Amino acid sequence: LCVMAAPGKVAAFRLPPLPTIGEIIRLFRLKALKQLSQNFLLDLRLTDKIVKQAGELKNAHVCEVGPGPGGITRSILSAGVEQLLLIEKDVRFIPGLQMLSEAAPGKVHIVHGDILTYKMEKAFPKHLKKSWEDEPPNIHIIGNLPFSVSTPLIIKWLENVSKRDGPFVYGRTQMTLTFQKEVGERLTANPGSKQRSRLSIMAQHLCTVENCFVIPGQAFVPKPEVDVAVVHFTPLVQPKIQQPFELVEKVVQSVFQFRRKYCFRGIETLFPENGRLKRTEQLMMTANVDPTLRPFQLSMSQFRNLCNAYRKMCDEDPSLFVFSYREELRQKKITRNLLESTGQSEQTEEENQL
C-alpha cells in the first residue's frame, strides 16, 4: 500500500494492517528451537532501532539473514527499501514471511536456504555495482543472527571482504548484525583490552567496526542467558594488513593460541620443531615486536609487521605456510602411542613436550 503524498514529496511506503509478531508466532505455532539458538525479537521499537543503524535505506536493496517471524523485516520494509531479499533456513517461518511479501507486492523475494552456502554474488542487480574506492553501494546486509552461526558467518564475510567476492563484488557493502554481547565486545576491542582477540584483528584490519548498542536479553523470546550487541561494519578502502586473508588468519590465530602467555609462545607454533626457536627470534626481530608482550597488547601495526615478516619467510621457504602445528602434535601422539605399545615411551617423553 502506497500512501499519497503532498505534491513535490515522495510517497512513503506503509505496510497495511497485519497481525502482530506475537500473533504470527501463535498463528503458525512457531517455537524457537534451542538447538538452532533461535531467539525472537518482538518489540518493533527495537527492530526499528536496529534498522536505523544501517543508515539511509530509502530505495536501497537489502538482504536480511534469518528473518524468522519477520520483526526486523517489517522495520526494513517501513524504511522504504526498493527490494528486500530474505534468506531463511527454517521452513517453518516461510508462510509468515509470505504474508509479509503479499503485503508489499513486488518488494520481497524469499529464499529458503542456508546463508553459509548461498551465492551472494548474484543476489543483487548488476547496475548497483560500485568501484571499491567509491562510496559503499546502496546495498545492505541486516540480520539478527542465531548465536551458533554468527561467528563462522562473520569470518566467512570478512574473507569475502578481503577477496572482494560474495556480497562484496558490488563494492563495500555495509552490514548491520547482532552478536552475543561478548562477541560484539571482541569485534571492537582495542589493544590492551582483555576482550582483544583473533576476531578483533580480523574484523578491524578489514572494516570500520562500530558497536552500536546493546539489547537486554529479556527483550527476546525465549530470553537468552546473555545480552545482544548490534554491530555495524563498513569495509575499508585499504585493509590495514595488506596480505592474503589466509596468511593473516594463520598468524593471528597462532598469536592468540596462548593468549595468557607471552606472544612469542604463540608465534613459535608457526614453525616446525626443528629450528623453531631460531626462526621465532628471526620473525620477532624483523617485525620489531617485543616477545614479552601478551597477545592482547599487540597493536594493529605490530600484527601488520608480523604478517609482513612471516610472508617474507614463507616466500623464502614455501613449506612454512603449509606447516601445521596441530598436525605436528598429532604425528607426535601417534609416534608416542606406537612407542608405548613397544615399551619405548620413556625415550620420547621429553621430545613430546613443546
Side-chain angles (χ1 to χ4, degrees):
L1 180 65
C2 233
V3 180
M4 292 302 291
K9 291 190 176 180
V10 180
F13 180 80
R14 292 281 181 272
L15 282 168
L18 289 165
T20 66
I21 299 298
E23 287 167 347
I24 291 276
I25 289 169
R26 287 191 292 275
L27 179 65
F28 294 104
R29 296 178 181 177
L30 301 173
K31 210 175 191 180
L33 297 180
K34 194 172 182 181
Q35 64 268 35
L36 296 179
S37 60
Q38 292 173 338
N39 302 96
F40 304 150
L41 189 55
L42 309 186
D43 188 336
L44 292 182
R45 290 169 302 177
L46 284 171
T47 60
D48 284 348
K49 193 176 177 184
I50 292 171
V51 170
K52 197 175 177 183
Q53 300 304 319
E56 179 55 63
L57 294 188
K58 192 152 194 63
N59 302 323
H61 287 246
V62 175
C63 170
E64 186 189 353
V65 184
I72 293 177
T73 314
R74 295 184 186 209
S75 295
I76 294 170
L77 286 169
S78 297
V81 297
E82 179 77 19
Q83 288 288 321
L84 175 56
L85 169 65
L86 302 176
I87 301 174
E88 179 53 66
K89 186 178 180 180
D90 192 333
V91 71
R92 298 174 305 141
F93 296 121
I94 302 297
L97 296 173
Q98 282 171 337
M99 185 184 286
L100 274 176
S101 176
E102 288 159 13
K107 282 188 177 286
V108 181
H109 177 53
I110 303 168
V111 172
H112 174 223
D114 187 343
I115 189 62
L116 286 166
T117 55
Y118 184 73
K119 302 291 182 192
M120 289 286 283
E121 47 272 82
K122 294 180 180 174
F124 305 103
K126 287 182 182 177
H127 74 264
L128 295 171
K129 283 190 181 183
K130 290 271 192 87
S131 158
W132 196 260
E133 291 71 29
D134 288 346
E135 287 298 303
N138 202 12
I139 295 172
H140 297 262
I141 297 171
I142 299 174
N144 174 29
L145 306 175
F147 296 153
S148 59
V149 79
S150 60
T151 302
L153 184 57
I154 195 57
I155 288 291
K156 177 182 186 287
W157 276 338
L158 289 170
E159 183 171 2
N160 290 146
V161 171
S162 175
K163 296 176 178 176
R164 301 182 187 182
D165 59 12
F168 307 98
V169 296
Y170 300 92
R172 296 185 296 120
T173 300
Q174 297 178 78
M175 302 182 285
T176 308
L177 308 167
T178 62
F179 298 89
Q180 282 179 259
K181 183 186 173 188
E182 187 184 329
V183 177
E185 287 170 350
R186 283 186 206 154
L187 284 162
T188 55
N190 293 318
S193 162
K194 295 289 184 185
Q195 295 289 356
R196 186 83 160 170
S197 67
R198 171 183 75 120
L199 215 46
S200 319
I201 310 302
M202 298 311 295
Q204 293 171 34
H205 106 84
L206 290 163
C207 297
T208 299
V209 191
E210 182 190 356
N211 200 334
C212 304
F213 66 97
V214 173
I215 304 172
Q218 61 258 33
F220 293 86
V221 178
K223 177 184 176 295
E225 293 177 8
V226 294
D227 294 337
V228 174
V230 177
V231 184
H232 184 74
F233 302 80
T234 306
L236 294 164
V237 175
Q238 289 292 342
K240 291 178 181 172
I241 304 172
Q242 304 223 2
Q243 294 294 349
F245 184 87
E246 293 81 2
L247 185 142
V248 178
E249 188 174 42
K250 186 178 183 186
V251 171
V252 173
Q253 220 163 15
S254 296
V255 170
F256 280 101
Q257 195 151 267
F258 302 101
R259 61 173 294 114
R260 290 167 191 240
K261 302 196 175 188
Y262 293 145
C263 64
F264 79 84
R265 182 65 189 87
I267 288 166
E268 282 183 327
T269 65
L270 288 168
F271 305 108
E273 189 173 16
N274 184 21
R276 175 169 286 149
L277 188 59
K278 187 180 175 184
R279 281 174 151 172
T280 301
E281 287 175 353
Q282 181 190 339
L283 178 61
M284 304 293 293
M285 284 179 69
T286 307
N288 192 26
V289 171
D290 180 349
T292 64
L293 288 172
R294 311 282 179 187
F296 62 85
Q297 293 176 308
L298 297 181
S299 67
M300 188 64 75
S301 62
Q302 287 170 317
F303 272 105
R304 181 174 62 238
N305 292 349
L306 287 169
C307 290
N308 291 344
Y310 180 63
R311 170 65 184 270
K312 195 177 175 190
M313 293 173 83
C314 289
D315 287 345
E316 291 165 2
D317 179 2
S319 69
L320 264 189
F321 188 68
V322 294
F323 166 73
S324 165
Y325 175 71
R326 287 178 185 274
E327 181 59 24
E328 185 182 73
L329 287 181
R330 197 177 73 84
Q331 291 299 331
K332 278 177 165 288
K333 189 176 180 183
I334 291 170
T335 305
R336 189 178 68 231
N337 290 343
L338 282 170
L339 289 168
E340 278 176 356
S341 67
T342 57
Q344 301 175 50
S345 60
E346 285 179 22
Q347 298 169 29
T348 63
E349 194 66 35
E350 193 175 329
E351 294 171 10
N352 283 295
Q353 291 182 10
L354 292 172

